[in-house]
Amino acid sequence: MKNRLIIKGTILTHSGSFYVGEELFSSVLFSVVNSWFYSNYENNGNLKVDISSEKAREFGKIKSAMNGFTDDLHNLPINYCLFKEINEKVNINGHKSNLYISVILENLFTNLRSLYDFLYHFVKIALSDKELKQYPQKDSINSLITFAKNENNQDKLPKNIIWVLNNIEGDLNDIKQIRDNIIHKGKDFLLTRKAGVLFMRVPIKETNSNDNLLPNILKSNDIDYNVEKYLNKIIKTTLKNIEDFGVIIYNEISNNSEIQFDLYSISNYCIDEFNEFLIIKNSN
């Protein structure tokens, strides 16, 4: 493991190092929200722009969402590395290993669901004052998608924002289905090993039933899904949707001279393995 000057945090980077690989995880959306933050806030967190108290409250919500988004971006590689270490350590009791991995899987799917919800607040960066006043008050990405699909609201959001919301809906529903079954309906992961490879499913009722509540994102003919391939696919899909969002928001604000756009990345001691997993592992 290479030495780092930073254990966990945000790095202002440059175009030459802005890529996914090795020690950094780069993100367009992460850069957009950080650029927005530093264009409107001092390093100590105090506003440096003169805006109304109503708009300042909205800015505060975006700022809180940015902090939560950053934490969840860090949590993804940390939880993945923990999964990888436990999954590969043969000296851990098999039953204990499955218990540990089940908790980590729950954390990972919760993180992914949370990342989507933060998009609700980030859309505000691209809105005019008029659009912001008409914005739905229920702070969830689901309510925003419903709002965007309403024919009466087509002039209340930028057209590209409506497009990207419609585009991510199916993938969001997959994550929502998994999270809701595990968190709200009390379903459990059933983990098995076949030839040393870890597989999972979420049975509807009985552990010996021939069913799986997990969305078949791998288009598999098997009832149990390869855990590493499943995680690879669903994490990469989520990150792609997030980056599409980042590009759309950047394009919407690119003519706003009040926002100085810079490139930002995150780094922590799990980024190397996480990036290797995303880049090298085959999700097919």
Side-chain angles (χ1 to χ4, degrees):
M1 181 64 67
K2 299 175 183 177
N3 292 325
R4 282 184 172 83
L5 295 176
I6 187 168
I7 294 175
K8 173 185 172 184
T10 298
I11 296 173
L12 175 61
T13 184
H14 53 83
S15 58
S17 63
F18 190 77
Y19 59 93
V20 177
E22 297 183 3
E23 296 186 1
L24 300 178
F25 179 84
S26 303
S27 163
V28 173
L29 182 58
F30 187 66
S31 294
V32 168
V33 295
N34 273 279
S35 296
W36 170 87
F37 174 82
Y38 286 109
S39 295
N40 290 286
Y41 284 88
E42 305 285 356
N43 288 335
N44 61 9
N46 291 329
L47 271 169
K48 62 182 181 182
V49 292
D50 185 17
I51 55 176
S52 66
S53 58
E54 181 181 89
K55 197 167 185 178
R57 282 193 295 272
E58 293 300 327
F59 274 34
K61 294 173 185 176
I62 300 171
K63 174 184 170 185
S64 294
M66 187 194 81
N67 293 333
F69 181 74
T70 303
D71 285 341
D72 276 336
L73 281 181
H74 278 293
N75 287 341
L76 277 181
I78 293 168
N79 276 297
Y80 167 72
C81 284
L82 188 55
F83 158 77
K84 182 174 180 286
E85 290 200 19
I86 294 172
N87 189 39
E88 293 177 354
K89 283 194 184 309
V90 294
N91 60 333
I92 298 179
N93 175 279
H95 298 298
K96 276 188 176 182
S97 175
N98 284 356
L99 286 174
Y100 298 158
I101 289 173
S102 292
V103 172
I104 295 168
L105 290 174
E106 183 178 313
N107 289 341
L108 279 166
F109 289 123
T110 300
N111 279 157
L112 293 172
R113 179 67 181 88
S114 181
L115 285 171
Y116 276 109
D117 260 340
F118 290 127
L119 301 181
Y120 163 87
H121 290 288
F122 297 154
V123 171
K124 298 174 186 176
I125 295 171
L127 301 182
S128 66
D129 288 350
K130 180 181 178 182
E131 289 168 336
L132 192 57
K133 288 179 180 178
Q134 301 175 102
Y135 201 64
Q137 293 302 303
K138 189 175 181 182
D139 59 345
S140 82
I141 195 68
N142 287 322
S143 65
L144 180 57
I145 289 174
T146 300
F147 178 85
K149 290 168 70 173
N150 188 324
E151 291 184 2
N152 296 324
N153 296 330
Q154 297 305 295
D155 61 343
K156 296 178 181 178
L157 289 171
K159 293 190 185 313
N160 285 334
I161 295 293
I162 293 175
W163 174 85
V164 76
L165 286 168
N166 289 332
N167 199 49
I168 71 171
E169 184 178 13
D171 298 324
L172 171 62
N173 286 338
D174 286 341
I175 294 289
K176 183 176 182 294
Q177 179 182 335
I178 299 168
R179 198 280 309 267
D180 287 354
N181 278 319
I182 300 301
I183 302 297
H184 298 307
K185 298 182 181 178
K187 302 298 182 180
D188 294 315
F189 291 101
L190 179 62
L191 301 172
T192 56
R193 290 189 185 273
K194 303 172 187 178
V197 178
L198 187 66
F199 290 80
M200 68 177 175
R201 65 185 172 99
V202 176
I204 295 175
K205 290 184 179 179
E206 305 297 333
T207 56
N208 59 352
S209 60
N210 194 31
D211 50 49
N212 192 347
L213 286 172
L214 294 173
N216 189 4
I217 62 173
L218 297 178
K219 311 300 181 188
S220 173
N221 294 323
D222 298 322
I223 198 66
D224 297 295
Y225 303 146
N226 182 303
V227 176
E228 282 199 278
K229 288 185 177 181
Y230 200 93
L231 290 178
N232 182 279
K233 177 77 172 179
I234 205 162
I235 290 173
K236 280 161 72 167
T237 298
T238 300
L239 295 177
K240 179 188 179 300
N241 288 334
I242 285 171
E243 292 308 274
D244 286 347
F245 235 96
V247 171
I248 294 296
I249 293 178
Y250 171 76
N251 288 338
E252 290 293 328
I253 67 172
S254 59
N255 294 325
N256 184 349
S257 60
E258 296 176 3
I259 295 180
Q260 174 65 46
F261 184 76
D262 289 307
L263 297 173
Y264 292 86
S265 298
I266 65 169
S267 184
N268 62 54
Y269 276 85
C270 295
I271 289 292
D272 308 68
E273 293 169 79
F274 183 64
N275 283 335
E276 180 184 8
F277 172 65
L278 293 180
I279 296 167
I280 296 176
K281 293 288 185 179
N282 188 352
S283 60
N284 296 323

